[in-house]
Amino acid sequence: MTAQASAADPAPGRGAGPVPDQDVEAGRLSAVRRYDILDTPPDGAFDRVAALAGRLFDVPVATVTIVDSDRIWFKATHGLEGVKEIGRDPGLCGSAILRDDALVIPDTLHDPVAANNPLVAGEMGVRFYAAAPITTSDGHRLGTVNILDTKPRSITEEDIATLSDLAAIVMDEMELRLSAMRALREEQERRTAESMHAERERARAEAERAAREQAEKDKAAIAAFASTLQRTLLPPALPAVPGLELACHYRTASVHDVGGDFYDVFPVDADRWAFFLGDVCGKGPEAATVTALARHTLRAAAQIDPDPVTVLSTLNTVLLTDVAAGSRFCTALFGLLTPQEDGAFTVTVASGGHPSAYHVRPDDGGSVWVKAVRPKGGMLIGAFPEAHFAQSTFRLAPGEGLFLYTDGLTEARTAQGAMLGEDGLTGFLHQRTGSLTATALVDDTVTLLDALPEGVGDDVALLTLSVPDSESVPEAGVAATAHTTATPEHFGQE
């Protein structure tokens, strides 16, 4: 049961406070080291938890902290810029990790420990503090998710449960991060062993050369995958791809739910680029966990073998076997871009139960030629062990574009009350006038969404690619654009 501390409530961590059991503390610190999280760079997933806590509880400061042996380190902060760590004693977080439930201090000036804390006694003047422990599956409390205010206040049991859910989301993200690193190490060890076995049959000189090459490839793959662990559920911006223009848009149906739509664009080798867009079944923390797992898996699988069908098959296996995914499944389109000497791109797209992408180009009549790109036979990802995935290859020439979306777009209601549907979307693209650049496609679709009387009932993710006319392609590529918005009815609320 969660306690709200008061001046008369000698809860654990108040006053002089209990001294942590040495064996328990040793085990806790070992768990902190196991997750290898201390002093890591900023990570958008954790930053979003801090920002979400600030918005949900309408407090000026929210943090995600990890408690070390002698310090409290801030993994993410909202409203507390420039602070990386503080001493552990006296520390509010240091008290919070000594208890199984959340710690709530309605007025810090009435608390013997909190009253001496630098955040309370100093210029910031914190008067309210609440924290939920970030707890591992084997019971170790690594740190806390905290909310702070400059005036005394109380919170409800429902609020405390929400704060505990945010702490659980942080724990899930750390588990995914650890699981991904372990899986990568195991895969690299297996591949290295297979390579060594094959090379034993060759001459010593050839075996040594191949082993050196494989070691370099393994090192590069590990470095590339480690960098993907720092990515967020949605990339803050798209990369600049030489000879290609990119644009994206993400619109949430509700600011209170974490959506399951995702997309990304990234290089797989010196010349080729990969892209994907998908939609996880459901919403909320569980869907966000699967979204993170899907993004990390797709990026990692492409570093090993970028073949689109192989990548989706790998994701299918992971969703069926990883306990973090539960029984959730997703749809996705995964594509591979290969530039050609004439400025065009060869595009190979594999489908896993996702709505069609659309290949568009101007026609002779002044309208737009539209062709659906949906390989036949692509099944849901994470639903069946023997799922089949299909792919198709086509040429994206200068002046042409590719339009990808999630089903929140086609399920949106028109003024007549009917869903827009694939026919409505095809008609919208066919009747467009003007440029077919990636940015124009996204901007016009956003205008269409804004004009819908009821907005959207589900999250909408858009990803567009276009090849500029050869005369207008800069040497360094085309700058990408990114948009992230909520539906208009939610702006300014809570």
Side-chain angles (χ1 to χ4, degrees):
M1 180 176 179
T2 304
Q4 294 209 23
S6 65
D9 175 20
R14 297 174 54 77
V19 177
D21 181 272
Q22 290 186 355
D23 291 339
V24 172
E25 178 65 5
R28 192 194 69 80
L29 290 174
S30 177
V32 170
R33 303 295 183 266
R34 181 173 76 235
Y35 286 90
D36 196 20
I37 193 71
L38 289 170
D39 300 311
T40 55
D43 189 310
F46 298 98
D47 293 340
R48 283 190 175 89
V49 170
L52 181 60
R55 291 196 301 269
L56 285 174
F57 296 99
D58 192 23
V59 294
V61 176
T63 64
V64 176
T65 64
I66 303 297
V67 179
D68 200 359
S69 58
D70 59 352
R71 60 172 176 157
I72 296 170
W73 179 73
F74 291 83
K75 177 58 181 173
T77 61
H78 172 75
L80 190 64
E81 304 300 330
V83 179
K84 300 296 184 183
E85 60 182 58
I86 59 175
R88 180 171 172 176
D89 186 27
L92 298 173
C93 298
S95 298
I97 64 165
L98 298 180
R99 56 195 303 151
D100 294 327
D101 57 358
L103 171 64
V104 180
I105 304 178
D107 190 343
T108 57
L109 295 185
H110 295 162
D111 185 283
V113 173
N116 297 322
N117 188 278
L119 298 178
V120 176
E123 180 179 351
M124 188 174 178
V126 171
R127 292 291 301 277
F128 165 80
Y129 173 81
I134 301 167
T135 308
T136 67
S137 59
D138 51 352
H140 296 296
R141 297 179 287 274
L142 307 180
T144 54
V145 174
N146 316 274
I147 54 174
L148 301 85
D149 203 345
T150 55
K151 56 180 180 290
R153 61 187 289 179
S154 61
I155 59 176
T156 66
E157 290 296 325
E158 183 177 352
D159 291 334
I160 295 171
T162 298
L163 188 61
S164 297
D165 285 342
L166 292 176
I169 292 173
V170 171
M171 191 67 251
D172 286 344
E173 184 66 26
M174 292 176 66
E175 290 288 359
L176 283 172
R177 185 176 182 274
L178 180 61
S179 176
M181 289 190 295
R182 285 175 174 171
L184 180 62
R185 284 195 294 266
E186 291 174 359
E187 175 64 18
Q188 295 302 330
E189 289 171 359
R190 182 185 67 82
R191 287 180 169 269
T192 300
E194 290 178 352
S195 175
M196 292 177 62
H197 177 74
E199 294 301 325
R200 287 193 190 101
E201 303 301 322
R202 300 185 182 183
R204 180 182 298 272
E206 178 64 18
E208 291 178 353
R209 183 191 65 81
R212 287 194 297 269
E213 289 181 355
Q214 184 65 43
E216 290 301 318
K217 290 178 181 179
D218 291 346
K219 181 179 178 180
I222 292 173
F225 186 72
S227 69
T228 67
L229 296 177
Q230 304 303 314
R231 304 294 184 186
T232 61
L233 293 180
L234 294 174
L238 296 179
V241 179
L244 197 68
E245 180 173 336
L246 306 173
C248 61
H249 177 81
Y250 185 78
R251 177 174 298 220
T252 57
S254 169
V255 295
H256 301 294
D257 285 327
V258 180
D261 294 1
F262 58 93
Y263 56 84
D264 208 346
V265 180
F266 58 96
V268 295
D269 54 34
D271 298 314
R272 294 180 297 174
W273 294 75
F275 64 91
F276 59 78
L277 179 140
D279 185 0
V280 171
C281 170
K283 298 180 182 298
E286 295 84 1
T289 297
V290 179
T291 299
L293 177 61
R295 285 198 66 233
H296 292 321
T297 300
L298 288 170
R299 292 182 66 106
Q303 301 301 326
I304 297 171
D305 185 350
D307 174 69
V309 167
T310 301
V311 171
L312 293 187
S313 297
T314 300
L315 177 59
N316 188 67
T317 300
V318 170
L319 292 184
L320 287 169
T321 58
D322 196 302
V323 295
S327 59
R328 292 183 180 268
F329 55 84
C330 72
T331 67
L333 289 173
F334 185 94
L336 191 63
L337 296 163
T338 304
Q340 304 300 311
E341 292 184 357
D342 62 355
F345 283 81
T346 297
V347 185
T348 301
V349 176
S351 173
H354 198 80
S356 304
Y358 288 100
H359 182 191
V360 296
R361 66 168 178 257
D363 65 15
D364 296 335
S367 58
V368 177
W369 175 88
V370 180
K371 181 179 180 180
V373 179
R374 186 175 188 176
K376 295 181 179 179
M379 300 172 66
L380 288 175
I381 305 172
F384 307 102
E386 301 299 329
H388 172 75
F389 303 105
Q391 68 182 30
S392 63
T393 300
F394 59 94
R395 171 183 165 87
L396 191 66
E400 298 180 355
L402 184 62
F403 184 92
L404 293 81
Y405 65 94
T406 55
D407 59 11
L409 173 60
T410 50
E411 292 176 359
R413 300 282 176 174
T414 66
Q416 291 72 36
M419 289 195 302
L420 178 65
E422 292 190 4
D423 290 342
L425 178 57
T426 302
F428 162 74
L429 293 172
H430 180 68
Q431 296 170 11
R432 285 188 71 263
T433 59
S435 172
L436 285 180
T437 65
T439 301
L441 286 169
V442 164
D443 288 344
D444 288 351
T445 307
V446 170
T447 300
L448 171 66
L449 291 172
D450 291 340
L452 297 176
E454 298 181 5
V456 295
D458 194 4
D459 301 333
V460 175
L462 306 176
L463 177 64
T464 58
L465 305 80
S466 64
V467 181
D469 292 333
S470 58
E471 296 81 5
S472 61
V473 178
E475 292 184 0
V478 180
T481 61
H483 313 277
T484 301
T485 64
T487 50
E489 62 266 30
H490 295 294
F491 287 134
Q493 296 185 13
E494 299 185 6

